[in-house]
Amino acid sequence: MEGYLGRKHDLEGPNKKASNRSWNHLYCVLRNSELTFYKDAKNLALGVPYHGEEPLALRHAICEIAANYKKKKHVFKLRLSNGSEWLFHGKDEEEMLSWLQGVSTA
Ligand code: I3P
């Protein structure tokens, strides 16, 4: 699946806050148990990931609704096996839930 989500890097590793903590609106692509980010769909077509980032490997990742995050609605949290954590913001409940399900079963 693919589409736009808000993304915030929360933890770089266990108990280590990410240095860049701002929200970005990114084109997200979920394929083959990996999540890759692009500035927009055009950059996906060109094969140019956002800031040259490596895809996030979703094996052994944990994904859940970010119940503790109160500043926005429709946010879910992704914790990777390396301890890094990311928040994702869908435009509505339905979009958030479909990504949550997609990422959880990847
Ligand atoms: C961050 C930005 C984020 C904010 C984060 C700030 O500043 O304002 O929106 O997260 O707060 O550090 P900058 O863009 O200058 O990097 P929230 O939207 O969740 O508040 P945080 O450090 O408390 O996570």
Side-chain angles (χ1 to χ4, degrees), residues 8 17 20-23 69 71:
K8 176 183 172 175
K17 275 194 167 193
N20 180 354
R21 313 187 49 76
S22 44
W23 283 98
Y69 189 81
K71 293 180 185 173

Side-chain angles (χ1 to χ4, degrees), residues 85-96:
E85 284 191 14
W86 302 76
L87 296 177
F88 294 97
H89 176 224
K91 68 176 183 312
D92 54 30
E93 177 93 357
E94 189 188 352
E95 185 178 76
M96 187 264 278

Side-chain angles (χ1 to χ4, degrees), residues 43-86:
N43 276 268
L44 164 63
L46 294 171
V48 180
Y50 180 69
H51 286 185
E53 290 179 3
E54 292 294 321
L56 301 183
L58 299 178
R59 271 176 67 87
H60 309 300
I62 296 169
C63 195
E64 63 191 14
I65 291 174
N68 293 334
Y69 189 81
K70 308 286 187 197
K71 293 180 185 173
K72 293 180 193 289
K73 287 181 177 175
H74 319 309
V75 175
F76 70 89
K77 177 165 84 173
L78 176 64
R79 185 182 321 126
L80 301 181
S81 56
N82 64 8
S84 74
E85 284 191 14
W86 302 76

